[in-house]
Amino acid sequence: MSTYETDFHQWIEEQSALLRAGRLTQLDVPHLIEELESMSARERRELINGLAILLAHLLKWEYQPERRSTSWRLTINEQRRRLALLLEDSPSLHRRLPELLPRSYRNAKRAALEETGFLKSPFPEHCTYSMSEILDEDHWPGD
């Protein structure tokens, strides 16, 4: 049994040391591949979740103008900053946005519907915000 199964932290340190020493033939390649793919999936999930939170608040902002609050504004700004940092750190995620946006929007609609208490969804079936509007700190739908 390898340290991958028994002590993940130790396994990482071993793999790092092997890489630094250039001892590539001793690397645990199958598990390294698995971990790299898992890291990529985490980045995508973080993008999907961040977009969903942002979109839910943009929907609430637009469809419940009478309930707009400092808290909603702060959440929108915070999510925009987080997404900007994520996209800055991983620019290749920009090209994934069109494929990830529909999933994020579905999650956002569901969350916004639960949070607003609307009996029937007033929200469009598909996202009507462009990515530039979603990420633009000066864009406030319904203003």
Side-chain angles (χ1 to χ4, degrees):
M1 189 174 268
S2 79
T3 53
Y4 180 80
E5 288 92 12
T6 60
D7 188 340
F8 184 69
H9 180 75
Q10 177 65 33
W11 176 83
I12 291 172
E13 289 182 347
E14 290 169 359
Q15 299 307 299
S16 297
L18 290 170
L19 282 168
R20 271 192 294 285
R23 296 167 43 197
L24 305 182
T25 59
Q26 295 177 296
L27 289 171
D28 182 357
V29 174
H31 286 126
L32 280 171
I33 291 169
E34 182 181 327
E35 290 306 317
L36 289 171
E37 289 171 344
S38 177
M39 289 169 62
S40 177
R42 272 194 301 273
E43 291 282 303
R44 286 190 307 276
R45 279 192 306 276
E46 184 178 347
L47 182 59
I48 289 167
N49 292 337
L51 268 174
I53 293 167
L54 174 55
L55 288 167
H57 277 78
L58 290 175
L59 288 170
K60 293 188 310 184
W61 186 269
E62 181 173 5
Y63 288 87
Q64 281 193 316
E66 72 283 356
R67 302 213 39 212
R68 290 177 184 167
S69 66
T70 301
S71 173
W72 284 4
R73 183 180 293 278
L74 292 173
T75 299
I76 290 168
N77 287 333
E78 175 65 19
Q79 289 306 313
R80 283 177 166 157
R81 279 192 290 277
R82 285 180 184 209
L83 289 170
L85 287 172
L86 178 60
L87 293 168
E88 183 180 311
D89 287 346
S90 300
S92 65
L93 285 173
H94 272 283
R95 69 175 181 267
R96 304 293 303 268
L97 286 170
E99 86 185 59
L100 301 177
L101 182 58
R103 183 170 166 197
S104 294
Y105 185 71
R106 280 192 307 275
N107 294 342
K109 273 190 355 180
R110 193 174 314 117
L113 188 60
E114 291 171 0
E115 292 175 26
T116 58
F118 289 135
L119 298 177
K120 183 177 178 191
S121 176
F123 311 126
E125 184 63 27
H126 303 284
C127 186
T128 59
Y129 311 130
S130 69
M131 279 312 305
S132 61
E133 290 172 331
I134 293 168
L135 299 174
D136 180 357
E137 292 185 13
D138 294 321
H139 178 74
W140 296 90
D143 277 359

